[in-house]
Amino acid sequence: MNIGEIARRSGVSRSTVSYALSGKRRVSKVTQQRIQAVIDELGYRPNATARALKEGRTRTIGLVIPPAGRRLTDMQLGFVASVVDAAGRADLDVLLSPSGGEHDRSFERMVGGKRVDGVVLMEIRLEDDRVTRLRQTGLPFVGIGRTHLPEEMSWVDVDYETLISKCVHHLADLGHRRIALVNRSAELVAAGYGPGHRAQSGFARAVAERGLDSVQSCCADDAQSGAACVEALLGQHPGLTAIATINEAAMPGMYRALEQAGLAVPRDFSVTGVAAQHWAENLHPPLTAADVPADELGARAVELLIQRIADPATPHLSLLLTPAISLRGTTGPARPREPGR
């Protein structure tokens, strides 16, 4: 049963039924009663979107993204696209707001100006002032990512700790004994970026369990930094035969550095990590990786937010995904590196 059937039986337009359900516009008492009688007769229950709109005022949700001056990674762009698509399917608009540094004024205008009915927050740190501010205002919000107190908010996330651990075990099963973790930038990790810290924990645990030699390195989100990072790793750690990474934006440069060093992937050197699926598939060779389902995470974040807009008192909900590692073309049996390579 849908709004169209209710409108037909009530003798009113679909928009009138929508207004009666959402409260966005005034509907006469007589019309409201007639619509309600049909709803009761049919046993219709408005979906979460209609309930949310009844509580809201703007039909708009906010999406807080990293600073506008910083290039978004392919995965981050996937989150943005999936949130916008999911909001569109729910007949909601999306207001984008960067945060960080001078951009915090934009975030404050969104939060304090009653411009949105709720917020999806990206790039969450273990201790995040934006989360604290949102909790103070009472504005419904959902994180793509979580703080060190995940029970205090609703969120969706990827289990970076487990996934990087699985990547290490996969490499160890192939005979690799000297492995590096290439993380996100040192600035992000120092600021408490959740995935970076969880990747470090999973990496450290797995190399300890397998008795491996290891090194950890931070790398900015661009190809040039990826090339410089791998060049330094190869020079400083001549026995290194594999890399696990969560820095997909640096991957093209990492590939280039390996090629310039005369190392064929995966014959001479293996690479794996966590990345957006279509990004991993379009690298050459395609990256063996745990594929982040950005579309699902963004859609579920919007779904959780709509529920919180409809009923802010509802218990916090969370979704932690651990996608399987897709075996492609960048991991193979360990092969000792020749001197100078």
Side-chain angles (χ1 to χ4, degrees):
M1 193 58 59
N2 56 38
I3 287 179
E5 180 65 13
I6 295 170
R8 187 182 69 79
R9 295 198 184 200
S10 302
V12 299
S13 67
R14 290 173 59 95
S15 60
T16 299
V17 175
S18 178
Y19 297 148
L21 290 172
S22 68
K24 185 182 179 185
R25 293 187 184 177
R26 184 179 179 277
V27 175
S28 72
K29 186 175 181 180
V30 172
T31 301
Q32 181 79 50
Q33 289 174 340
R34 187 161 72 248
I35 292 172
Q36 188 61 53
V38 172
I39 288 173
D40 293 341
E41 176 188 350
L42 298 176
Y44 175 80
R45 292 293 179 270
N47 62 22
T49 302
R51 293 195 299 272
L53 295 177
K54 187 174 181 180
E55 296 295 327
R57 294 292 183 270
T58 69
R59 297 176 65 90
T60 301
I61 62 173
L63 175 59
V64 181
I65 61 176
R70 198 176 91 203
R71 178 183 176 275
L72 295 183
T73 68
D74 205 62
M75 191 184 304
Q76 290 167 340
L77 289 172
F79 289 142
V80 172
S82 62
V83 167
V84 171
D85 287 347
R89 290 193 297 270
D91 197 26
L92 299 172
D93 295 326
V94 178
L95 176 62
L96 294 180
S97 173
S99 66
E102 70 275 13
H103 300 292
D104 283 339
R105 293 193 299 272
S106 173
F107 173 72
E108 188 58 36
R109 285 195 297 271
M110 173 187 286
V111 173
K114 297 184 178 179
R115 297 184 175 189
V116 297
D117 298 327
V119 170
V120 175
L121 188 64
M122 289 175 53
E123 296 286 282
I124 294 180
R125 298 181 286 274
L126 297 177
E127 295 186 9
D128 201 307
D129 292 340
R130 301 168 303 169
V131 171
T132 302
R133 176 64 175 136
L134 285 165
R135 293 186 66 215
Q136 289 172 344
T137 64
L139 186 66
F141 73 97
V142 172
I144 299 179
R146 63 202 193 276
T147 69
H148 72 294
L149 297 173
E151 67 279 359
E152 294 186 352
M153 60 182 288
S154 293
W155 51 270
V156 298
D157 204 358
V158 174
D159 191 350
Y160 284 92
E161 182 171 349
T162 296
L163 292 178
I164 284 295
S165 176
K166 287 186 174 182
C167 288
V168 171
H169 284 291
H170 169 59
L171 293 170
D173 289 343
L174 290 170
H176 294 276
R177 306 299 302 169
R178 295 176 177 84
I179 300 173
L181 171 67
V182 175
N183 209 323
R184 299 285 296 279
S185 72
E187 292 79 9
L188 270 178
V189 174
Y193 177 61
H197 282 261
R198 295 182 181 106
Q200 287 178 335
S201 296
F203 183 79
R205 185 182 74 243
V207 296
E209 290 172 349
R210 300 300 292 263
L212 307 178
D213 294 331
S214 66
V215 59
Q216 298 193 28
S217 179
C218 289
C219 179
D221 296 339
D222 61 82
Q224 183 176 356
S225 297
C229 176
V230 169
E231 182 179 354
L233 285 171
L234 295 177
Q236 296 166 11
H237 304 277
L240 194 69
T241 62
I243 285 173
T245 183
I246 64 169
N247 194 330
E248 64 177 25
M251 285 301 305
M254 295 166 64
Y255 274 39
R256 186 168 66 246
L258 291 169
E259 182 180 5
Q260 291 175 348
L263 297 172
V265 177
R267 186 193 65 194
D268 304 314
F269 202 95
S270 289
V271 184
T272 184
V274 183
Q277 179 176 350
H278 70 279
W279 178 263
E281 290 175 341
N282 287 317
L283 288 169
H284 182 73
L287 180 68
T288 292
D291 301 328
V292 174
D295 290 348
E296 180 181 358
L297 284 169
R300 291 298 298 273
V302 172
E303 178 184 320
L304 290 179
L305 181 60
I306 288 173
Q307 293 174 4
R308 294 207 64 77
I309 294 171
D311 182 7
T314 190
H316 289 301
L317 299 174
S318 62
L319 173 67
L320 184 63
L321 296 182
T322 310
I325 294 177
S326 297
L327 301 178
R328 298 190 178 98
T330 57
T331 53
R335 179 179 176 182
R337 283 172 52 197
E338 298 175 8
R341 296 177 63 187

